[in-house]
Amino acid sequence: MTGKVRPMPESLLGRMFANVAWLLGGKGFGAVCSLAYLAILTRSLGLKDFGHFSLIFGTSQALIAIAGFQTWRVVVRYGAKHVHEKDWGAFGRLGMLAGALDAVGAILGCLIAWIAIYQFGDVLDLNPRLMDTAFWFVVAALWALVSAPTGIVRALDRFDMAVYVEAIVPLGRLLGGLAVWWTGPTLVKFLIVWAAVDLIESVIYWAMAKYLAPDSIRLRNLFHWKAAAEENPGIGRFFMITYASASLEATMRHGPLLAVGYFIGTSAAGLYRLAHQLAQGLSKLSGLLTRAAYAEISRARVAAKVEEFRKLAVQTTKIAGVAGMLLVGIAVAIGGDMLALLSGEEFRPAFTVLIPLTVAASFELASVAFEPVLHSTGRARYALAARLIAVCAMVTALLIFVQSGGAPGAAWAVALGGAVGYLAMGSMALITLKRVTREETSRDSAEASG
């Protein structure tokens, strides 16, 4: 056997929460570090330069989402079966195909970055002196993408090891931020630190994937991409659908920040970015549950009975919904004080942006089980349709609200898009669960009578 294993609970929900517990430990550490380095950033740069940092960072994240093919979903979706059957050769060919796709995405992303920054940088209100810095920062971010090794580690159910690797980013940014603050803070120095830390994490993540699956992660598997396509029927279609879905999700996540920078200005973008960062910090549980739920629901679809599969999805949704409501309550109660304490009174107006963004994050949290259910049952196109509906709702609201409502208006547009997406994808997931249960019950009855 090639994959390194660890003891796990027997129940599906127990397995998922064991993974969440590991992730919470790492993300709890990461949250503390991120709050510290965010305070260093905002207090060192001030509102205007932090706005420039936000626009450059936001542009890099948007381009990563466009050029990054979300290959981790492909590896988890199809790799779960290979891991269950201990077919490490097929798993390796799948993982290396995903890595090759990541490299293709990085090359395309660099081309898009050159066009976006050098031809349209003025549209984003970027300082002309920062054009070169912004471009090379985005290039580093694109080549630091760790989607494929992330999928390999998750498919192997080694969330414990992922925690150690992913802790490098917040710790590296904190230590690097302190060094920059000590030696004289500048925007360029902060961007260099962020880029270097991301590249270091990428190298270590691939090394971790190699350690966990040494017989799978081999360079020769790069040349067997045709075999990988044949061994995973429907992978091309699934890949294109999940890529389109992820691009739409990125539009919802990063588009409003760029819209604020375009329609209102750099300082407003800085306020929006800070509020968005804090809202995402409050909703870290969403990302943790998404990672654990996606892997466990994909595995349950292969290895568990349909009733257990359905039960896991329903239980996850209920728990996430309660957590989402708690997040909104926390943001309303202490959000303004948190912003002022973190970054100074200059950033307190971001409170009016924080509330709707937290509402949006709560909808994202409450829907963590929907997409894994649709993907694992071969209905990824439904998830794509739901994303498209949500983006259309958000863009429509954004065009109406952003010029009259400013950054808070943009944030409420995001919240509206989140609500529409929750209702659309939730309805599709519910219909899918009922249909799958009915189909498998009918099949079992036919086999029993036969």
Side-chain angles (χ1 to χ4, degrees), residues 25-346:
K27 290 299 181 180
F29 170 77
V32 173
C33 291
S34 64
L35 288 175
Y37 70 64
L38 191 60
I40 293 170
L41 266 174
T42 51
R43 290 180 179 274
S44 298
L45 297 178
L47 184 56
K48 185 70 174 179
D49 276 349
F50 182 70
H52 282 301
F53 179 93
S54 301
L55 288 173
I56 293 171
F57 187 82
T59 300
S60 74
Q61 295 304 298
L63 289 173
I64 285 172
I66 293 171
F69 293 139
Q70 292 291 305
T71 53
W72 75 268
R73 295 181 185 274
V74 176
V75 176
V76 172
R77 165 69 175 84
Y78 289 92
K81 179 176 181 291
H82 300 317
V83 172
H84 180 67
E85 296 174 350
K86 296 180 173 57
D87 188 348
W88 303 115
F91 182 63
R93 287 186 285 275
L94 175 65
M96 297 308 287
L97 171 62
L101 289 171
D102 283 347
V104 171
I107 293 170
L108 293 175
C110 290
L111 177 61
I112 297 171
W114 184 85
I115 296 171
I117 292 173
Y118 288 108
Q119 308 304 317
F120 298 99
D122 55 331
V123 173
L124 297 175
D125 197 27
L126 285 177
N127 189 321
R129 294 184 294 103
L130 297 173
M131 294 292 189
D132 290 341
T133 302
F135 174 72
W136 288 110
F137 177 81
V138 173
V139 168
L142 287 164
W143 284 101
L145 192 65
V146 292
S147 188
T150 298
I152 292 167
V153 173
R154 291 176 189 175
L156 291 169
D157 204 22
R158 293 309 305 264
F159 286 79
D160 54 329
M161 302 300 287
V163 165
Y164 299 130
V165 180
E166 292 177 8
I168 292 170
V169 171
L171 179 60
R173 287 177 178 176
L174 175 57
L175 295 177
L178 286 170
V180 170
W181 174 74
W182 182 261
T183 59
T186 66
L187 176 58
V188 173
K189 286 183 181 179
F190 281 119
L191 289 171
I192 291 172
V193 167
W194 262 235
V197 170
D198 285 347
L199 289 168
I200 291 170
E201 184 209 22
S202 177
V203 172
I204 296 176
Y205 229 129
W206 272 110
M208 181 62 67
K210 174 67 175 176
Y211 167 76
L212 293 175
D215 294 335
S216 298
I217 311 306
R218 295 177 179 272
L219 286 176
R220 67 168 179 262
N221 283 327
L222 282 171
F223 304 101
H224 300 306
W225 60 271
K226 288 185 178 179
E230 293 170 357
E231 290 164 348
N232 302 281
I235 188 174
R237 185 167 178 270
F238 179 81
F239 166 74
M240 293 304 298
I241 291 173
T242 52
Y243 168 66
S245 181
S247 297
L248 292 173
E249 181 184 5
T251 299
M252 293 192 68
R253 189 178 298 273
H254 305 295
L257 170 63
L258 301 180
V260 169
Y262 173 70
F263 286 110
I264 307 172
T266 307
S267 297
L271 289 175
Y272 185 96
R273 169 65 183 168
L274 178 62
H276 181 266
Q277 184 87 355
L278 192 54
Q280 292 301 304
L282 290 173
S283 64
K284 282 293 184 184
L285 187 59
S286 172
L288 306 186
L289 278 175
T290 298
R291 296 180 189 189
Y294 197 97
E296 204 57 49
I297 288 174
S298 296
R299 190 175 296 107
R301 185 63 186 142
V302 173
K305 295 180 179 179
V306 67
E307 193 55 40
E308 294 175 337
F309 171 73
R310 180 179 179 277
K311 182 180 178 182
L312 175 63
V314 172
Q315 288 176 329
T316 304
T317 300
K318 289 179 178 178
I319 293 168
V322 173
M325 289 187 287
L326 288 175
L327 288 177
V328 176
I330 293 171
V332 171
I334 61 173
D337 292 333
M338 290 176 65
L339 288 164
L341 179 65
L342 183 67
S343 303
E345 289 295 328
E346 184 182 19

